[in-house]
Amino acid sequence: MALALDTPVGALQGIGPARADALRGAGIQSLGDLVRKHTPFRYEDRTCFSSVAGLREGRQVVIRVEIVSVSAVRTRVRRFRILELLVRDDSASMIVKFFNQPYLEKVLQRGQQVVMFGEPRRDSYSAGLVMQNPEFEIQDGDGEDSIHTGRIVPVYRRLGAFHPRTLRTTLYGVLQELGEAEQLPEVLPPEVVRRYDFPSRMEALRRIHFPEPRPGEASADLMERLERRDTRYHQRLIFEEFFRFQLGLLVTRSRRRLQPKQRTVRVDRRVREAVKSILPFHPTGAQKRVLGEIVRDLTSSCVMTRLLQGDVGSGKTIVALQAQVVVMENGYQTALMAPTEILAEQHCRAFARRLADTPYRIAFLTGAVKGKARREALEAIRSGEARVVVGTHAIFQKGVEFQNLGLVVIDEQHRFGVLQRSRLMKKGERPDTLVMTATPIPRTLALTLYGDLDLSLIDEMPPGRQPIRTILKSGANREEVYRLVRRQLAAGRQAYLVYPLIEESEKVDLQAAVEAAEHLRTEVFAEFEVGLLHGRLPSEEKDALMRRFSNGEVQVLVATTVVEVGIDVPNATIMVVEHADRFGLSQLHQLRGRIGRGEHRSYCILMFGRRVSPEARERLEVMRRSSDGFEIAEKDLELRGPGEFLGTRQSGLPGFLFANFVRDRKLLDAARLEAEQYLARLEAEGTATPARLTRLLQRWRREFFLSEVG
């Protein structure tokens, strides 16, 4: 039967039920899935032939030789055989060995011309260099295209029971048999294809699998372009992914604006006075601007979905609370969801302080709230008595019912999975949503990940904040570091000493922090009060310890990374981060943001061990020379890539097959512009009908579901 893109993979010759099941388990149902989803992860240049006499040990080479003799060697190990060939070219001869592949005795015969690819080595049983288990192709002189040698060869990741060589052969056969007549449906507008002179989708896929140099192009130049993924075939598929993703985000925003919300929010003198009454300080110009953007959304007829970005200490939380007061003054409930219990507790205490003179009751809800306290909180939320609900992911769980939820605030949004966010958003009648992050996200990435959200940025720090001096010190300078800490403590200041808590070694790391706290308490800072804070402490103990630290009763807080966000103690002026080379840049920046919040000069000391990788050293140097969160985020993104930067599973980072946010930013910007113009044209023509937008959105959700945050 003729092959087509929708042909099931099980219909391919040589693919039995086991292999077909393995392919389906990897999400590959059809031949179209196979050629689109399993593309090469690297390439090898097998175009340059070496002579046998010129071979060097340890270098992969391609040789063209004649088989002089073939012999099967039995070994003492049962059922283990060696096929040994003597091969030669015009310069010399050598031994080639294949281990435990008896079927090759019928394939490789004396007198054949063979091209082989492998790495010559020495072994204990042969004189001279030996090539073991090379890839090979028998040259039969019929002009058939080479698959495994004599060309730039695609290298695939193993897929189920497929050996990479078998997979290469299978894909080559599929692409040949599909032929020019079989075309993937075009998804880019025709004018975009013409403007950028893109090849067809099918041609792009064919040349990504089996690239060919342009006329007059050296294979080394093509290899360089392949490694950078900037062949015209890669560029076409990268652009397509970005275009489709951006179009989905734009359609989501467009549909949202076509669906009016069912509640009315107004701002009059009474509301303005209520907002002013909770302010602890005069707001910055950036805070005023951002609050204005949020209030315009709240009072509009469309549901708000807005991302609020701001560096550590820029005052995002007070802006969010002002927005909540606006909504509560209009008779609606609000909710704030934080990623950890300790941060939720910090928010709850801060809200209680700011709202002490208002009639708004606060309900606190986390997984640790049990029994009577939980029943009372749930009833207060259900009846509407609780106007503010603060908690963790427990807020969106079954059994939590709001009377009239009007605004959802999600703090440190990248720490929540997409489904967690969407569940909370569904707790009310499409409530307005404000998601906040203190992890600076470069604008290009923010527009890509959150293009269906409106962006607000607090780009101004409150006045009077002192710059933080960052110092790098090795473990050998520990006593010097402790002397600096002691001087700060003697001057009446407070200190953080932070220990890493890495998931893979959490028990060991936690024990190290416990032992360090005891050592510091009894030997290093015996004259000061030392406390230990970590995530496994009961909530009551954490709450009591943080209250004592905030009040100045505890001078040294030894902590794991639970202090990364949410803790605000202006009198803390020094932080020592142990094993700082184990942290990412964004995490170090978050930690450093716990100090420098008062009028006194602050110091952040990053400690590292004897053996520091070049990458870790580069991260530490970035921290030493820069305090700009967005500059640090750009570097972090460059060093770790978008997946690690945001945590793919939690952030909802789309799983692009070809595109990369860092490498392909120019194409990303171009694709976003083209998507905007395309949707604007549909709307101007009147063809952006609800039905058509729904179809576009359904297809987008199937491909990029985890990216939807609105």
Side-chain angles (χ1 to χ4, degrees):
M1 99 178 156
L3 298 184
L5 288 167
D6 58 358
T7 300
V9 289
L12 273 179
Q13 186 176 0
I15 295 185
R19 281 182 170 174
D21 287 344
L23 290 172
R24 286 190 286 266
I28 296 174
Q29 304 283 342
S30 66
L31 299 190
D33 290 337
L34 181 62
V35 299
R36 283 195 299 261
K37 295 182 179 180
H38 205 70
T39 53
F41 77 98
R42 66 181 178 88
Y43 299 86
E44 290 178 349
D45 187 352
R46 303 184 185 177
T47 60
C48 299
F49 290 89
S50 300
S51 67
V52 173
L55 297 183
R56 297 291 181 269
E57 186 174 11
R59 291 180 56 188
Q60 289 189 322
V61 294
V62 183
I63 57 174
R64 183 183 284 118
V65 293
E66 178 187 353
I67 300 176
V68 177
S69 65
V70 181
S71 58
V73 180
R74 295 184 180 275
T75 68
R76 295 179 180 178
V77 180
R78 188 182 178 192
R79 295 182 179 176
F80 188 82
R81 294 164 66 90
I82 300 173
L83 186 66
E84 188 172 293
L85 311 182
L86 177 64
V87 302
R88 69 182 178 193
D89 65 5
D90 293 339
S91 66
S93 60
M94 70 178 299
I95 298 295
V96 176
K97 296 181 180 180
F98 292 93
F99 297 106
N100 217 30
Q101 300 179 59
Y103 68 93
L104 291 181
E105 293 179 33
K106 297 180 180 179
V107 175
L108 297 170
Q109 302 292 321
R110 179 182 175 183
Q112 288 175 332
Q113 299 291 322
V114 183
V115 175
M116 294 182 168
F117 173 79
E119 183 179 309
R121 295 180 179 179
R122 299 186 185 278
D123 66 18
S124 304
Y125 306 98
S126 307
L129 295 175
V130 175
M131 195 176 281
Q132 299 177 354
N133 295 320
E135 292 201 30
F136 68 89
E137 281 190 346
I138 300 170
Q139 305 294 288
D140 52 16
D142 64 0
E144 182 182 352
D145 288 341
S146 173
I147 302 175
H148 309 292
T149 58
R151 65 177 304 138
I152 290 179
V153 172
V155 181
Y156 300 93
R157 300 189 190 279
R158 183 177 286 275
L159 185 61
F162 279 94
H163 185 277
R165 177 187 170 95
T166 306
L167 188 59
R168 189 183 305 129
T169 302
T170 300
L171 278 160
Y172 186 84
V174 167
L175 288 165
Q176 290 292 103
E177 193 163 342
L178 285 175
E180 290 294 336
E182 183 68 24
Q183 290 293 325
L184 291 165
E186 184 57 77
V187 297
L188 292 176
E191 64 272 17
V192 172
V193 175
R194 289 193 299 270
R195 188 176 302 128
Y196 292 88
D197 191 26
F198 284 141
S200 71
R201 298 178 75 201
M202 195 66 203
E203 177 65 9
L205 279 170
R206 184 176 289 109
R207 292 307 179 193
I208 277 178
H209 283 282
F210 294 96
E212 296 285 351
R214 295 176 298 200
E217 182 181 30
S219 60
D221 294 334
L222 175 57
M223 279 292 294
E224 187 176 333
R225 290 194 296 117
L226 288 168
E227 292 302 320
R228 295 198 310 264
R229 299 300 192 261
D230 72 348
T231 71
R232 62 193 297 260
Y233 308 109
H234 282 95
Q235 300 288 287
R236 189 249 138 82
L237 295 175
I238 290 167
F239 187 97
E240 177 185 309
E241 282 191 322
F242 281 146
F243 179 87
R244 296 167 80 177
F245 183 69
Q246 294 295 336
L247 186 61
L249 293 175
L250 293 169
V251 169
T252 300
R253 178 183 289 189
S254 179
R255 277 172 52 98
R256 186 181 77 229
R257 290 173 175 170
L258 293 174
Q259 298 173 347
K261 57 188 174 188
Q262 304 302 311
R263 61 191 169 278
T264 302
V265 173
R266 293 187 174 89
V267 176
D268 53 21
R269 182 176 179 180
R270 173 183 58 82
V271 174
R272 292 190 186 94
E273 290 302 319
V275 170
K276 288 180 182 178
S277 71
I278 67 164
L279 286 175
F281 50 77
H282 189 70
T284 65
Q287 287 175 313
K288 290 179 181 178
R289 184 190 73 247
V290 167
L291 180 61
E293 293 169 353
I294 294 170
V295 168
R296 279 196 297 275
D297 285 353
L298 294 174
T299 56
S300 77
S301 60
C302 301
V303 176
M304 175 180 77
T305 51
R306 183 169 287 275
L307 172 66
L308 174 56
Q309 282 191 270
D311 213 339
V312 178
S314 61
K316 297 178 300 299
T317 305
I318 192 65
V319 170
L321 183 56
Q322 288 177 283
Q324 289 176 271
V325 168
V326 169
V327 173
M328 291 187 290
E329 284 291 318
N330 279 268
Y332 301 103
Q333 293 171 292
T334 68
L336 183 144
M337 183 168 73
T340 64
E341 287 192 11
I342 193 166
L343 182 53
E345 292 162 2
Q346 292 283 316
H347 280 311
C348 194
R349 277 199 299 272
F351 281 19
R353 203 163 52 243
R354 304 287 177 230
L355 301 177
D357 297 327
T358 71
Y360 311 129
R361 176 180 169 182
I362 302 174
F364 182 66
L365 194 63
T366 70
V369 178
K370 306 286 187 183
K372 182 181 178 182
R374 183 176 182 83
R375 290 193 298 273
E376 290 177 349
L378 292 175
E379 179 54 36
I381 297 169
R382 186 180 301 110
S383 67
E385 180 186 355
R387 309 309 293 170
V388 186
V389 183
V390 179
T392 58
H393 61 279
I395 294 176
F396 68 71
Q397 291 178 344
K398 188 176 180 180
V400 182
E401 298 177 9
F402 289 83
Q403 185 189 66
N404 57 356
L405 182 61
L407 173 63
V408 171
V409 179
I410 301 175
D411 196 14
E412 290 302 315
Q413 56 77 33
H414 67 285
R415 291 172 173 241
F416 291 102
V418 174
L419 294 180
Q420 291 175 316
R421 290 192 292 261
S422 63
R423 284 175 194 159
L424 182 54
M425 294 172 192
K426 292 175 182 176
K427 283 292 183 181
E429 291 295 324
R430 303 183 68 246
D432 291 309
T433 305
L434 179 68
V435 294
M436 304 192 300
T437 180
T439 300
I441 305 171
R443 179 172 175 78
T444 300
L445 185 55
L447 286 171
T448 300
L449 289 175
Y450 310 114
D452 58 329
L453 296 149
D454 298 305
L455 302 182
S456 288
L457 174 63
I458 299 180
D459 53 3
E460 180 183 359
M461 299 298 283
R465 293 200 58 164
Q466 295 287 325
I468 301 169
R469 184 183 175 194
T470 300
I471 304 168
L472 307 185
K473 291 289 182 182
S474 72
N477 302 113
R478 190 173 305 280
E479 291 304 318
E480 177 189 344
V481 171
Y482 287 161
R483 284 196 296 272
L484 178 57
V485 173
R486 192 175 287 106
R487 284 199 297 271
Q488 291 290 306
L489 298 176
R493 309 283 87 80
Q494 291 164 273
Y496 295 101
L497 275 81
V498 181
Y499 285 78
L501 198 61
I502 309 301
E503 185 177 347
E504 292 81 5
S505 55
E506 185 172 335
K507 290 183 179 179
V508 175
D509 290 334
L510 183 56
Q511 183 61 32
V514 171
E515 292 173 358
E518 183 61 26
H519 172 68
L520 295 170
R521 181 184 296 118
T522 58
E523 298 183 34
V524 181
F525 303 119
E527 68 271 37
F528 300 103
E529 187 69 23
V530 178
L532 173 63
L533 179 70
H534 57 79
R536 293 188 182 181
L537 282 179
S539 296
E540 300 79 12
E541 290 186 32
K542 283 189 284 189
D543 200 34
L545 176 57
M546 282 313 306
R547 194 178 300 113
R548 293 178 64 213
F549 188 62
S550 298
N551 294 339
E553 299 169 34
V554 171
Q555 288 81 46
V556 180
L557 187 65
V558 180
T560 59
T561 47
V562 293
V563 301
E564 182 183 342
V565 290
I567 297 176
D568 186 3
V569 181
N571 192 48
T573 59
I574 189 163
M575 171 178 285
V576 179
V577 182
E578 294 280 356
H579 306 291
D581 49 297
R582 296 173 67 183
F583 293 91
L585 272 172
S586 292
Q587 195 174 30
L588 286 173
H589 183 62
Q590 290 282 340
L591 288 169
R592 185 170 59 181
R594 297 307 103 208
I595 58 174
R597 291 172 170 259
E599 57 182 333
H600 302 288
R601 182 70 180 268
S602 293
Y603 303 86
C604 178
I605 303 173
L606 304 179
M607 305 282 290
F608 55 89
R610 295 180 189 174
R611 298 175 182 172
V612 181
S613 69
E615 294 80 9
R617 169 63 74 174
E618 187 174 2
R619 289 198 302 271
L620 296 177
E621 285 295 335
V622 169
M623 289 299 300
R624 185 186 60 79
R625 66 175 180 262
S626 178
S627 59
D628 185 315
F630 284 90
E631 179 185 340
I632 290 170
E634 288 276 3
K635 191 63 179 178
D636 202 16
L637 181 60
E638 177 187 324
L639 291 174
R640 293 197 290 159
E644 287 297 317
F645 173 78
L646 288 172
T648 301
R649 286 180 300 173
Q650 286 302 310
S651 70
L653 187 71
F656 290 126
L657 297 175
F658 303 100
N660 178 287
F661 298 126
V662 181
R663 183 192 65 215
D664 305 318
R665 290 203 186 182
K666 289 183 179 179
L667 283 176
L668 171 59
D669 291 338
R672 181 168 57 247
L673 179 62
E674 292 289 353
E676 289 171 352
Q677 293 175 349
Y678 176 68
L679 186 59
R681 192 179 77 245
L682 293 184
E683 291 172 346
E685 294 171 352
T687 54
T689 62
R692 184 171 185 178
L693 293 182
T694 297
R695 287 195 299 273
L696 281 170
L697 200 56
Q698 287 173 342
R699 187 170 66 186
W700 178 76
R701 282 173 173 164
R702 283 196 302 271
E703 295 189 32
F704 299 110
F705 173 72
L706 287 178
S707 307
E708 188 175 10
V709 298

